[in-house]
Amino acid sequence: MKKFLNDPANFVDEMLEGIYLAHLAVTYVGDDKRCLVTAKVKPGKVGIATGGGSGHLPLFLGYVGDGMLDGAAVGGVFQSPSAEQIYQVTKHIDQGAGVLYIYGNYSGDIINFEMAGELAAFDDIAVKHVVGNDDVASSIVGEEHKRRGVAGIFFIYKSAGAAAAEGLSLDEVTRIADKARSRTRTMGVALSSCVVPEIGHATFSIGEDEMEIGMGIHGEPGISRKKLAPADAVIDELMERIFAEQDYKKYDEVAVLVNGLGGTPMEELYILFRRVSQVLQQRNVTVKYVWIGEFATSMEMAGASISILHLDNELDRLVAAPARTPFFQHVAG
Amino acid sequence: MKKFLNDPANFVDEMLEGIYLAHLAVTYVGDDKRCLVTAKVKPGKVGIATGGGSGHLPLFLGYVGDGMLDGAAVGGVFQSPSAEQIYQVTKHIDQGAGVLYIYGNYSGDIINFEMAGELAAFDDIAVKHVVGNDDVASSIVGEEHKRRGVAGIFFIYKSAGAAAAEGLSLDEVTRIADKARSRTRTMGVALSSCVVPEIGHATFSIGEDEMEIGMGIHGEPGISRKKLAPADAVIDELMERIFAEQDYKKYDEVAVLVNGLGGTPMEELYILFRRVSQVLQQRNVTVKYVWIGEFATSMEMAGASISILHLDNELDRLVAAPARTPFFQHVAG
């Protein structure tokens, strides 16, 4: 196993120690480093909490900061955080305006966020849930509730975070998060496995000349495994599946996220974006915002995903708003 | 070869097409996409140009933008750009205040930047050179002129870029760049090779349980190859070599760059920084600025480097200044 590690059992906690040493804008609740919160809770603002397994940096905790989220409960590698940890984050960030939970569609996360919401209800904290399910590959149209949440959750964070920063109510922030969710689609492709530190070997095997279309960020099976195709052909297939999902009209605007899964160089992500841009142009869809880099990874997995947010005027305003977290900065204008 | 590619011969040009489609803040001179320049040249400001081989994103071109650089000549993968390309960038960015070249200590780059400076002299453009040589591993003390330039060039860009943005003269910007150069040291460690697209196989081989201390970002041999040690022990060795170079006094301040070489997950970089922070604390050296992520890569190479800039009051002010490029944002304060 080629990792910079001490005891694999301490992977998550040592990573968190590094994060707290590097970034004074975040801190933790009580003595549990896995309850990460912003160091400056904003009075009166709707709180936004997320959470999920480790191994996906900058997801999930990397988006806690101005204009994005207020807290993140941090699980073990690919494991849900506990309901108690989510509850502690919730209590800390609630400022009387309620808390929105935004998390991915995984059974462990759903159970624990629901339980945390029930605990918060005893404290009279209003809690709402929006569950990211952007991964087109994980079920057919009509069964979107079965789909996994992947990199597209970034757009939900960005939209809801900006709405909360504007001072909107919990109902409004929830409505906006849900709209961003319903208008975001992601398709991914994996070229290699990742290695969970405490396991020490590849999660799955894949041939030297193979790719898997639609693989999940924990190595969940995708739609098809086949011979690695040229970059443009890979993007054409991913974009075809994304376009089949939403009704795009001429001159509609989108935000694009080209996300590296961890092991894929930035150079290749730009080669992929080149084709994404060409495909959108062919369809007369305008790229208004682009982010290219690592936003939701699977440690050292080679691969990439394309997320498209279909903008409307409201989402346009919110995506454009400034944001500043330890892992993500967006300067407006 | 597991890469998102079309024809490997088009790797650099398609990457550049993706960059120009994504980032309107940069453009190119004439019809040569490899002559990348800022889209908004600042009247009267000293220009700063860099350049070097491709395959190191965000290095080199990623730092062209506000508060950093004005242009970058882009070579093939691990190849120097031509003197003509550097000269074209120089002519475009010169605003009558002269141009500083900042590049790494590689023979091809040196030859071509020197030739470009001579071409510029015919146009009465004043040109100065600062050659990054931060890589401690590549020669002994006393022969620093033989050392390679690696990730520490980031600190030269940051300091000189802020000085130029303040309106300082070419002599002053050069003095500052040279000071940042002389106070920056880097030590790296590689865990795996990269693959040059047009070659299609690993540049070198390294055992499943081995690391190479001091390896260069093109796979140049390092100081020693040995069994992969625990993360803390790796950092202790790197930091020992960095500290042997500079006279640190109690309460001196530093800027730290923990740089991933491409294939190493962010989680591991934070585990490394945790130990860097501990080592500095033990020596009563204060970490004033920290950047952790990918700043100078070798495509999919797994590994990391630690760069330390020994601050003084002037460098402190310049490192703190705001910067905004397609690949790097720093908000002051």
Side-chain angles (χ1 to χ4, degrees):
Chain A
M1 176 173 46
K2 289 232 137 169
K3 284 182 189 284
F4 294 117
L5 278 179
N6 295 299
D7 182 342
N10 297 332
F11 178 80
V12 172
D13 293 318
E14 291 183 355
M15 169 199 83
L16 287 170
E17 286 172 38
I19 286 171
Y20 293 119
L21 286 164
H23 305 299
L24 303 180
V26 291
T27 183
Y28 50 95
V29 183
D31 59 0
D32 189 345
K33 294 197 173 67
R34 298 193 182 200
C35 298
L36 183 145
V37 291
T38 173
K40 38 175 184 176
V41 173
K42 309 266 185 327
K45 191 183 81 71
V46 167
I48 306 181
T50 190
S54 291
H56 303 299
L57 281 182
L59 211 59
F60 297 86
L61 61 86
Y63 301 109
V64 173
D66 295 347
M68 296 280 274
L69 313 176
D70 302 286
V74 180
V77 174
F78 297 174
Q79 292 169 352
S80 176
S82 71
E84 176 64 22
Q85 288 165 330
I86 301 164
Y87 170 58
Q88 291 301 331
V89 166
T90 308
K91 277 204 300 189
H92 185 89
I93 67 173
D94 176 56
Q95 296 291 302
V99 173
L100 172 62
Y101 291 164
I102 304 174
Y103 52 96
N105 192 17
Y106 298 95
S107 55
D109 293 318
I110 292 167
I111 291 168
N112 289 325
F113 272 96
E114 285 186 351
M115 205 181 300
E118 288 166 21
L119 293 168
F122 286 114
D123 297 336
D124 291 324
I125 301 173
V127 166
K128 300 269 187 179
H129 300 247
V130 169
V131 181
N133 63 340
D134 50 310
D135 185 11
V136 170
S138 38
S139 91
I140 57 171
V141 174
E143 296 195 343
E144 285 86 354
H145 63 282
K146 293 186 180 169
R147 288 181 176 172
R148 296 183 292 259
V150 287
I153 200 170
F154 166 82
F155 287 130
I156 313 180
Y157 293 161
K158 183 72 193 69
S159 307
E166 284 184 353
L168 301 190
S169 69
L170 179 59
D171 281 347
E172 276 294 278
V173 175
T174 305
R175 176 185 63 75
I176 285 163
D178 195 59
K179 181 163 71 171
R181 179 201 61 74
S182 73
R183 294 172 72 96
T184 299
R185 293 292 184 282
T186 298
M187 273 295 300
V189 52
L191 302 188
S192 76
S193 178
C194 58
V195 176
V196 175
E198 288 198 77
I199 295 174
H201 58 76
T203 304
F204 59 91
S205 66
I206 179 165
E208 234 337 286
D209 62 344
E210 287 182 325
M211 64 177 176
E212 183 149 334
I213 300 280
M215 173 165 285
I217 57 174
H218 311 94
E220 298 94 333
I223 293 174
S224 63
R225 181 173 292 201
K226 48 190 170 184
K227 203 165 151 31
L228 179 55
D232 287 359
V234 173
I235 289 299
D236 288 353
E237 175 166 357
L238 301 186
M239 293 297 285
E240 189 62 47
R241 289 182 183 270
I242 289 172
F243 269 110
E245 296 267 322
Q246 294 247 326
D247 184 28
Y248 283 95
K249 292 182 188 60
K250 217 171 170 173
Y251 310 127
D252 275 5
E253 294 179 326
V254 295
V256 175
L257 183 72
V258 178
N259 172 55
L261 295 181
T264 285
M266 266 184 249
E267 286 81 2
E268 295 174 38
L269 300 181
Y270 278 91
I271 290 173
L272 296 178
F273 174 68
R274 168 184 171 275
R275 185 63 180 175
V276 170
S277 172
Q278 289 173 350
V279 170
L280 288 168
Q281 212 164 356
Q282 282 162 12
R283 293 185 182 250
N284 290 299
V285 171
T286 304
V287 178
K288 185 98 186 251
Y289 306 97
V290 190
W291 284 281
I292 300 171
E294 294 183 353
F295 292 83
T297 64
S298 188
M299 293 182 289
E300 65 275 83
M301 186 184 285
S305 65
I306 311 297
S307 300
I308 307 278
L309 167 61
H310 192 173
L311 293 166
D312 64 7
N313 287 340
E314 184 175 55
L315 293 173
D316 187 352
R317 181 187 88 235
L318 297 165
V319 168
R324 185 180 178 191
T325 84
F327 291 75
F328 176 72
Q329 289 89 44
H330 178 58
V331 183
Chain B
M1 176 172 46
K2 288 233 137 167
K3 284 182 189 285
F4 294 117
L5 280 179
N6 295 299
D7 183 342
N10 298 332
F11 179 80
V12 171
D13 293 318
E14 290 184 355
M15 169 199 83
L16 286 169
E17 287 173 36
I19 285 170
Y20 293 119
L21 286 163
H23 305 298
L24 302 181
V26 290
T27 183
Y28 50 95
V29 183
D31 60 359
D32 189 345
K33 293 197 173 67
R34 299 193 180 200
C35 300
L36 184 144
V37 291
T38 172
K40 37 175 184 177
V41 174
K42 309 267 186 323
K45 192 182 81 71
V46 166
I48 306 181
T50 190
S54 290
H56 304 298
L57 281 183
L59 210 62
F60 296 87
L61 63 87
Y63 301 109
V64 173
D66 294 348
M68 297 280 275
L69 314 176
D70 303 286
V74 180
V77 174
F78 297 175
Q79 294 170 350
S80 175
S82 71
E84 175 65 22
Q85 289 166 329
I86 301 164
Y87 169 60
Q88 291 301 331
V89 166
T90 308
K91 277 205 300 188
H92 185 89
I93 67 173
D94 176 57
Q95 297 289 301
V99 173
L100 172 62
Y101 291 164
I102 304 174
Y103 52 96
N105 191 16
Y106 298 94
S107 55
D109 293 318
I110 292 168
I111 291 168
N112 290 325
F113 273 95
E114 285 186 351
M115 203 181 302
E118 288 166 23
L119 292 170
F122 286 114
D123 296 336
D124 291 323
I125 301 174
V127 165
K128 300 268 189 182
H129 298 248
V130 170
V131 181
N133 62 340
D134 51 309
D135 185 12
V136 171
S138 38
S139 92
I140 58 171
V141 174
E143 297 195 342
E144 285 86 354
H145 63 283
K146 293 186 181 170
R147 289 181 175 174
R148 296 182 291 260
V150 287
I153 201 169
F154 166 82
F155 288 131
I156 313 180
Y157 293 161
K158 183 71 191 72
S159 306
E166 283 184 352
L168 300 190
S169 69
L170 179 59
D171 281 346
E172 275 294 277
V173 174
T174 304
R175 177 186 62 75
I176 284 163
D178 195 59
K179 182 163 72 170
R181 180 201 61 73
S182 73
R183 295 173 71 96
T184 299
R185 294 293 184 279
T186 298
M187 276 292 301
V189 52
L191 303 188
S192 77
S193 177
C194 59
V195 175
V196 175
E198 290 197 75
I199 295 175
H201 58 76
T203 304
F204 60 90
S205 66
I206 180 165
E208 232 338 285
D209 61 345
E210 287 181 325
M211 63 177 176
E212 183 149 334
I213 300 281
M215 173 164 285
I217 57 174
H218 313 93
E220 298 94 333
I223 293 172
S224 63
R225 180 172 294 201
K226 47 191 171 184
K227 204 165 149 32
L228 180 57
D232 287 359
V234 173
I235 289 299
D236 289 353
E237 175 166 356
L238 302 186
M239 294 297 285
E240 189 61 48
R241 289 181 184 271
I242 290 173
F243 269 108
E245 296 267 323
Q246 294 247 327
D247 184 27
Y248 282 95
K249 293 182 188 60
K250 220 171 167 173
Y251 310 128
D252 275 4
E253 295 178 327
V254 295
V256 176
L257 182 73
V258 179
N259 172 54
L261 295 183
T264 286
M266 266 184 248
E267 286 80 3
E268 296 174 38
L269 300 180
Y270 277 91
I271 290 173
L272 296 178
F273 174 68
R274 168 185 170 275
R275 186 63 180 176
V276 170
S277 172
Q278 289 173 351
V279 170
L280 289 168
Q281 211 164 354
Q282 282 161 12
R283 293 185 181 250
N284 290 299
V285 172
T286 303
V287 179
K288 186 100 187 250
Y289 306 96
V290 191
W291 283 281
I292 301 170
E294 295 181 354
F295 292 83
T297 63
S298 189
M299 291 182 289
E300 65 275 82
M301 186 184 285
S305 65
I306 311 297
S307 300
I308 308 279
L309 167 62
H310 192 172
L311 293 167
D312 65 6
N313 286 341
E314 184 175 55
L315 293 173
D316 188 352
R317 180 187 89 235
L318 297 165
V319 168
R324 185 181 178 187
T325 84
F327 289 76
F328 176 71
Q329 289 89 45
H330 178 59
V331 183

